[in-house]
Amino acid sequence: MQVKFNWKKFCRHFLSILLLFLAVLMIRSTDWAINTFNSLDFSEIVYHLKVPIEGTSSTILLSFFTDSFLYSIVVTGLLYFIISYFCLRYKENKLFKVVVGKQILLAICAFIIFGCVALVRVNALDYVVAITTQSTFIEENYVDGRDVEIKFPDQKRNLIYIFLESMEATYTSTEMGGYMEDNLLPNLTAYAEEGVNFSNTKQFGGLYSPQNTTWTIAAMVAQTTGLPLSVPIDSNRYYGEKPFLPGAYSIGDILEREGYNQELLIGSKAEFGARNLLFTQHGDYKINDYHAAIEDGRLPSGYFEWWGYEDSKLFDYAKEELLALASQPEPFNLTMLTANTHFQDGYLEEACAVDYDDPYYNVLACSDQQVYEFVEWIKQQDFYENTTIVIVGDHLTMNKKTFDHVDKSDRTVFNLFINSVVEPHRTNMRTATTLDMFPSTLASMGVEIEGDRLGLGVNLFSNRRTLAEKFGLKYLNEELSHFSTFYNDNLLSIEEE
């Protein structure tokens, strides 16, 4: 006797299981995110849904796969087994028959309830409220570099701009104003005696990361354009050669206009977060990333460590690139981004010392030593005399356990200017943000800026108040989180499909 397959029953069971799995996955994923990241900004989640994830560290992907995806499969399987057991045992019970008959409805309810709980846990409701509130703050305070006079010195200075992944001023000792028992950055903080550090305290300190600048590409946007990275949830994706903030005017645009040779050197894949779009479309930077190292034979095919290749190799390649750039008649801008200090717990190279029980502390101390050795090498080169070095963190660390006990409002981003040609009016007790790096970097190179303002940033070497000092940091963050028609129409300008 041939048994006819019941497709209707199969589809009902399959859909119920799928909805149950998705419900469990949403809750488990929020658990993973909350336990993994030091802070969670829903605007970052929205942004990364619109860019390629290629280039993400395998450590993070594996962590999500095992802790969230596989976990959800196991839990869903157990729940299905339990439900099936009760279906067989109580199949003649009238009440249970009614419940089983409504299994899809129950699965939908579970999906909706769990989904709402997950969205609340990642602050999605706050995000929705923020983006549905109109603000004219950016329109009223934005300064377009094309509209002000920007005067370079007769002898244009070179720029070496080093983004240090997750580097905070907080890593210094409590005696210095930080939160560590020991100063994890002895070499970098020592440079403050000969260079310039803008601090939020009377001691060594740093800059605040305002709203929508708290992940790497957003931090790069903030420091190069003086703008937050605010992408509406209904906007197009940043794939291929889509325009990236086409209305913005960045330091790359300015230096390109002045004839600089520009290069972005990173040990990861430049397309991650659409970093390649930012730097190629704003300054025509040469992209020297993980792919380039594989293609030109510096690395063997298939080589991949951490996010691409280690920082020790990055600094070795930087020396080669600097010598090549310095041999050209044009001034240069080499912008770099390290990766070893990325969460979770960073990447400790074999040559690094192990002086602390916490593995992340060892990575931070090693990064401090690597940058020190690189800067000391630069100082021995002929081009150093006419070169300004800017060393700055991109954002606060997302390594949750490191600063879980420290209020986020007390943490700041590391910043240091070496070989600046101007002296600051005041460095301590400043309420400054990473937005202020844009005009401040140019000023440190001897560039005169009409009004000392670019983007939403203020030249910290001047005596002008920053927007955070003028309006207060809390108000600044609130306004940057709101919807701005001016930003969308004049700066973002993404053409919808």
Side-chain angles (χ1 to χ4, degrees):
M1 180 178 177
Q2 188 176 7
V3 179
K4 186 177 180 180
F5 187 80
N6 192 331
W7 281 102
K8 184 177 180 181
K9 185 177 181 180
F10 171 79
C11 290
R12 184 170 68 246
H13 279 289
F14 177 79
L15 183 58
S16 299
I17 294 170
L18 178 61
L19 289 172
L20 182 61
F21 166 74
L22 293 175
V24 174
L25 180 62
M26 284 189 290
I27 290 296
R28 186 60 182 177
S29 296
T30 56
D31 282 339
W32 174 82
I34 291 170
N35 292 326
T36 300
F37 297 90
N38 186 269
S39 59
L40 196 62
D41 192 331
F42 193 74
S43 58
E44 179 181 357
I45 297 176
V46 171
Y47 178 78
H48 279 291
L49 289 174
K50 300 175 179 297
V51 296
I53 65 169
E54 184 181 356
T56 307
S57 168
S58 58
T59 303
I60 296 175
L61 294 177
L62 181 61
S63 173
F64 175 80
F65 182 75
T66 56
D67 292 353
S68 297
F69 193 79
L70 288 183
Y71 176 93
S72 300
I73 290 177
V74 172
V75 170
T76 303
L78 289 174
L79 289 174
Y80 182 72
F81 174 79
I82 294 171
I83 293 171
S84 298
Y85 170 79
F86 279 101
C87 283
L88 291 173
R89 183 164 184 174
Y90 300 102
K91 61 182 179 180
E92 300 302 326
N93 184 284
K94 292 182 179 181
L95 178 61
F96 197 76
K97 284 183 177 180
V98 173
V99 173
V100 172
K102 303 294 184 182
Q103 58 179 298
I104 291 183
L105 179 61
L106 292 174
I108 292 174
C109 289
F111 176 79
I112 293 174
I113 293 171
F114 280 36
C116 290
V117 172
L119 289 174
V120 169
R121 297 185 72 196
V122 296
N123 303 315
L125 295 182
D126 292 340
Y127 171 81
V128 172
V129 171
I131 64 171
T132 54
T133 303
Q134 179 68 243
S135 170
T136 58
F137 182 84
I138 295 179
E139 180 177 5
E140 294 169 355
N141 293 280
Y142 178 71
V143 175
D144 192 325
R146 287 164 288 216
D147 298 333
V148 298
E149 183 180 2
I150 300 175
K151 184 179 180 181
F152 278 70
D154 293 335
Q155 184 179 16
K156 297 172 183 175
R157 293 179 65 79
N158 305 311
L159 173 64
I160 301 174
Y161 200 102
I162 309 174
F163 285 101
L164 296 182
E165 172 64 46
S166 304
M167 191 58 70
E168 300 188 26
T170 325
Y171 299 146
T172 59
S173 65
T174 52
E175 294 178 355
M176 296 184 65
Y179 283 85
M180 300 290 102
E181 182 177 348
D182 298 322
N183 178 18
L184 302 179
L185 311 175
N187 295 301
L188 290 176
T189 51
Y191 278 135
E193 297 180 6
E194 63 178 88
V196 177
N197 163 249
F198 291 102
S199 172
N200 58 312
T201 70
K202 293 181 180 179
Q203 299 171 289
F204 189 93
L207 310 171
Y208 294 100
S209 289
Q211 183 68 30
N212 294 333
T213 69
T214 56
W215 63 99
T216 298
I217 180 60
M220 287 177 150
V221 168
Q223 295 184 37
T224 60
T225 71
L227 287 166
L229 183 55
S230 306
V231 180
I233 198 167
D234 61 344
S235 67
N236 207 341
R237 293 171 178 261
Y238 275 130
Y239 283 102
E241 295 301 321
K242 297 291 184 182
F244 194 102
L245 287 172
Y249 195 60
S250 75
I251 189 171
D253 293 317
I254 294 171
L255 297 183
E256 180 186 19
R257 183 192 67 188
E258 294 294 327
Y260 277 67
N261 290 324
Q262 303 193 86
E263 179 175 335
L264 175 68
L265 176 63
I266 58 178
S268 53
K269 297 178 180 180
E271 67 267 26
F272 178 73
R275 294 171 299 185
N276 57 330
L277 301 185
L278 169 64
F279 287 96
T280 55
Q281 295 179 18
H282 292 280
D284 194 26
Y285 287 68
K286 170 188 173 184
I287 302 298
N288 191 340
D289 66 347
Y290 166 80
H291 294 301
I294 294 291
E295 291 170 3
D296 64 22
R298 281 174 291 165
L299 294 176
S301 178
Y303 186 94
F304 196 92
E305 286 291 333
W306 192 232
W307 283 79
Y309 61 78
E310 312 91 320
D311 285 349
S312 58
K313 290 183 174 61
L314 181 80
F315 289 115
D316 286 341
Y317 298 159
K319 294 175 183 178
E320 297 172 2
E321 295 304 310
L322 283 171
L323 292 177
L325 288 167
S327 67
Q328 302 299 314
E330 301 85 6
F332 65 79
N333 165 23
L334 177 66
T335 297
M336 303 168 55
L337 169 65
T338 64
N340 281 4
T341 48
H342 202 286
F343 87 107
Q344 306 165 339
D345 287 334
Y347 180 88
L348 188 67
E349 299 188 42
E350 291 184 3
C352 295
V354 181
D355 297 323
Y356 301 97
D357 294 332
D358 190 311
Y360 195 54
Y361 289 7
N362 291 311
V363 176
L364 292 169
C366 186
S367 181
D368 171 78
Q369 181 65 30
Q370 289 177 328
V371 177
Y372 167 76
E373 292 174 358
F374 179 57
V375 171
E376 290 301 301
W377 176 86
I378 293 173
K379 287 184 175 182
Q380 302 304 314
Q381 309 309 309
D382 293 337
F383 61 79
Y384 173 67
E385 183 179 354
N386 193 44
T387 301
T388 295
I389 305 173
V390 179
I391 306 174
V392 61
D394 55 353
H395 51 70
L396 302 179
T397 184
M398 298 177 186
N399 212 43
K400 183 175 176 62
K401 66 179 182 179
T402 304
F403 290 122
D404 199 29
H405 62 292
V406 182
D407 192 299
K408 185 178 178 181
S409 62
D410 294 329
R411 297 163 54 199
T412 54
V413 171
F414 179 93
N415 72 93
L416 183 66
F417 295 79
I418 298 177
N419 209 20
S420 167
V421 296
V422 294
E423 292 294 328
H425 285 266
R426 180 167 60 92
T427 58
N428 292 335
M429 300 303 293
R430 299 298 308 265
T431 305
T433 72
T434 50
L435 299 169
D436 299 312
M437 287 299 298
F438 177 21
S440 302
T441 298
L442 288 170
S444 71
M445 299 165 63
V447 179
E448 298 177 8
I449 305 167
E450 179 186 358
D452 287 311
R453 291 194 53 212
L454 289 172
L456 297 177
V458 172
N459 173 16
L460 295 174
F461 288 88
S462 72
N463 58 4
R464 292 186 65 104
R465 290 189 299 166
T466 67
L467 294 186
E469 289 169 335
K470 181 178 179 180
F471 296 103
L473 190 61
K474 181 179 179 181
Y475 180 81
L476 175 65
N477 283 326
E478 289 176 353
E479 291 300 309
L480 293 185
S481 69
H482 293 162
F483 181 84
S484 169
T485 300
F486 172 81
Y487 181 96
N488 281 17
D489 293 346
N490 297 279
L491 302 171
L492 188 63
S493 301
I494 294 180
E495 183 180 348
E496 301 297 335
E497 291 180 339

